[in-house]
Amino acid sequence: MSRAERMRLPLSGEVMKATAEKHGVCVRPFTMEVGDPDTGELRYIGVPCGSTVESVCGPCAKKAKALRMAQCREGWHLTEEPDFTSEPPTDEQKELMAFRADLVKSYRAAVETGEGGQADELRDEIRGVDEE
């Protein structure tokens, strides 16, 4: 085979991509290392890229489109946008935040003056307020 004939042959990457598209599998999968917790054995598996752009990965984009179509058919879409506006803080929440700020100020003062016992108590009190 001459050099000109070899230059006209497709590259192996192009052949792999065409074969993957023919069989409907991802053309650019990610390799993930998976460990078996019982045996400690590590192995590598291919995970589809999940692209929704057909020019990037045709098979993954087709699967994503089919999934979206099925979800719309089954009524998964919302008829109106959800409202994520947060509620205004309550008076109790405001009081707790002000109380915590006062505790932190007292804690810092205790640390600066070297009062370790009082600083420990204040730290515990701050944790209690954080839980509330």
Side-chain angles (χ1 to χ4, degrees):
M1 182 181 292
S2 71
R3 178 167 165 74
E5 290 172 334
R6 285 193 311 269
M7 293 292 288
R8 285 197 311 254
L9 291 175
L11 297 174
S12 60
E14 295 170 352
V15 174
M16 287 189 295
K17 182 177 178 181
T19 305
E21 286 176 346
K22 176 183 174 188
H23 293 284
V25 296
C26 182
V27 298
R28 44 181 227 127
F30 295 107
T31 304
M32 288 186 65
E33 183 180 68
V34 177
D36 186 355
D38 297 329
T39 64
E41 178 186 351
L42 295 177
R43 59 189 171 100
Y44 298 94
I45 60 169
V47 178
C49 69
S51 177
T52 57
V53 179
E54 195 160 348
S55 62
V56 174
C57 182
C60 285
K62 288 177 186 170
K63 287 178 186 175
K65 183 177 180 182
L67 176 64
R68 287 191 308 273
M69 290 169 55
Q71 289 172 340
C72 286
R73 250 192 328 271
E74 294 172 5
W76 284 34
H77 58 283
L78 299 175
T79 55
E80 57 188 52
E81 289 295 317
D83 182 19
F84 293 114
T85 307
S86 60
E87 296 179 14
T90 64
D91 291 335
E92 181 182 345
Q93 291 169 332
K94 292 177 193 176
E95 289 172 10
L96 273 174
M97 190 58 69
F99 181 57
R100 185 185 189 285
D102 292 338
L103 286 174
V104 169
K105 183 179 177 182
S106 301
Y107 170 76
R108 289 183 181 160
V111 169
E112 287 176 10
T113 59
E115 300 173 15
Q118 185 179 3
D120 291 339
E121 291 176 18
L122 287 168
R123 190 178 325 125
D124 292 338
E125 184 69 25
I126 291 170
R127 283 189 190 127
V129 172
D130 285 345
E131 289 175 8
E132 287 183 47

